[in-house]
């Protein structure tokens, strides 16, 4: 009697195309886990979210919506199409209101419609959040970028605010905010980001 050959390991993910995936694949491949991103043609899967990450997103979304003018909308964890090989998912985005009119089935925004992209750094995404994504957002012309990290003994957020330099097409740091995030762009913003504010959520 001859034993049938067995496969020691079989992957449930498709083999990537030779030239990598495109944003069309990102929206049509079946079975991708929630919050999958496309970076340079590669699919990036999200690790389990830490409480800090979730709470800071909530804090910023509520704060931004409290002063957002009618011409913009604040959205969390939506894909932004930068080009055919890049579809990252900022933790928070401020988009033009007219780009938000595709109904409840809308899955993405074009980079040209995004005024602000925010990334809350997680241990598994430090390099992407600090290096790859800001560079790509700047290249795509997104005028404002915030990078949020946890710091201090009370584990409160620190927000670094960047503005796009139209000459260099790179972000320039315009402020570092510890307990209160107060800025005039992309619209007047004043958010309590202290440890106490997080604990109240």
């Amino acid at each position: 009697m001859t034993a049938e050959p067995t496969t020691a390991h079989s992957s449930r993910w498709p083999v990537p195309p030779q030239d990598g995936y495109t944003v069309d694949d990102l929206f049509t491949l079946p079975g991708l886990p929630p919050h999958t991103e496309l970076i340079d043609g590669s699919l990036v899967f999200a690790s389990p979210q830490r409480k800090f990450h979730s709470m800071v997103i909530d804090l910023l979304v509520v704060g931004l919506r409290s002063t957002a003018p009618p011409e913009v909308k604040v959205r969390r964890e939506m894909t932004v199409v930068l080009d055919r090989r890049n579809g990252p998912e900022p933790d928070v985005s401020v988009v033009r209101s007219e780009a938000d009119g595709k109904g409840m089935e809308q899955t993405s925004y074009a980079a040209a419609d995004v005024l602000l992209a925010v990334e809350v750094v997680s241990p598994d995404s430090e390099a992407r959040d600090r290096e790859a994504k800001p560079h790509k957002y700047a290249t795509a012309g997104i005028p404002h970028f915030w990078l949020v990290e946890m710091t201090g003994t009370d584990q409160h957020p620190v927000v670094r605010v960047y503005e796009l330099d139209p000459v260099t097409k790179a972000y320039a740091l315009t402020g570092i905010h510890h307990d209160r995030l107060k800025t005039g762009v992309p619209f007047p913003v004043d958010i309590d980001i202290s440890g106490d504010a997080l604990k109240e959520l």
Side-chain angles (χ1 to χ4, degrees):
M1 185 170 184
T2 307
E4 292 293 323
T6 59
T7 304
H9 174 75
S10 61
S11 173
R12 65 187 186 106
W13 302 114
V15 176
Q18 184 174 356
D19 296 327
Y21 290 107
T22 67
V23 289
D24 289 336
D25 298 321
L26 181 63
F27 298 128
T28 58
L29 279 173
L32 290 179
H35 309 299
T36 299
E37 299 182 284
L38 182 70
I39 306 292
D40 292 329
S42 295
L43 297 175
V44 178
F45 306 124
S47 294
Q49 194 174 84
R50 294 195 304 175
K51 184 169 77 170
F52 173 83
H53 191 270
S54 175
M55 292 173 70
V56 168
I57 292 173
D58 287 342
L59 188 68
L60 294 177
V61 167
V62 170
L64 285 165
R65 285 180 178 161
S66 70
T67 58
E71 57 266 23
V72 302
K73 299 292 182 185
V74 179
R75 296 290 176 249
R76 61 178 292 157
E77 300 168 311
M78 290 286 288
T79 298
V80 173
V81 178
L82 305 181
D83 55 45
R84 68 183 295 273
R85 290 171 48 83
N86 287 282
E89 185 182 279
D91 292 312
V92 181
S93 301
V94 173
V95 301
R96 302 178 202 281
S97 292
E98 58 266 27
D100 198 56
K102 298 176 184 173
M104 294 299 178
E105 301 299 317
Q106 184 167 350
T107 57
S108 66
Y109 297 99
D113 292 316
V114 179
L115 302 178
L116 167 67
V118 182
E119 294 292 349
V120 181
V121 176
S122 294
D124 70 308
S125 65
E126 285 184 29
R128 290 192 304 275
D129 292 343
R130 291 176 178 165
E131 300 167 22
K133 287 186 178 181
H135 173 73
K136 292 180 184 303
Y137 293 152
T139 301
I142 295 174
H144 303 282
F145 172 71
W146 296 353
L147 184 71
V148 187
E149 298 185 83
M150 183 171 65
T151 189
T153 54
D154 64 347
Q155 298 182 319
H156 71 277
V158 171
V159 181
R160 286 175 172 79
V161 173
Y162 298 86
E163 191 167 342
L164 185 64
D165 183 330
V167 176
T168 64
K169 298 293 185 188
Y171 288 123
L173 181 66
T174 60
I176 302 175
H177 305 263
H178 290 266
D179 291 309
R180 186 155 221 98
L181 171 55
K182 193 168 184 178
T183 179
V185 290
F187 50 82
V189 173
D190 188 354
I191 306 173
D192 183 353
I193 57 169
S194 65
D196 289 341
L198 268 190
K199 291 173 187 173
E200 290 176 8
L201 289 177

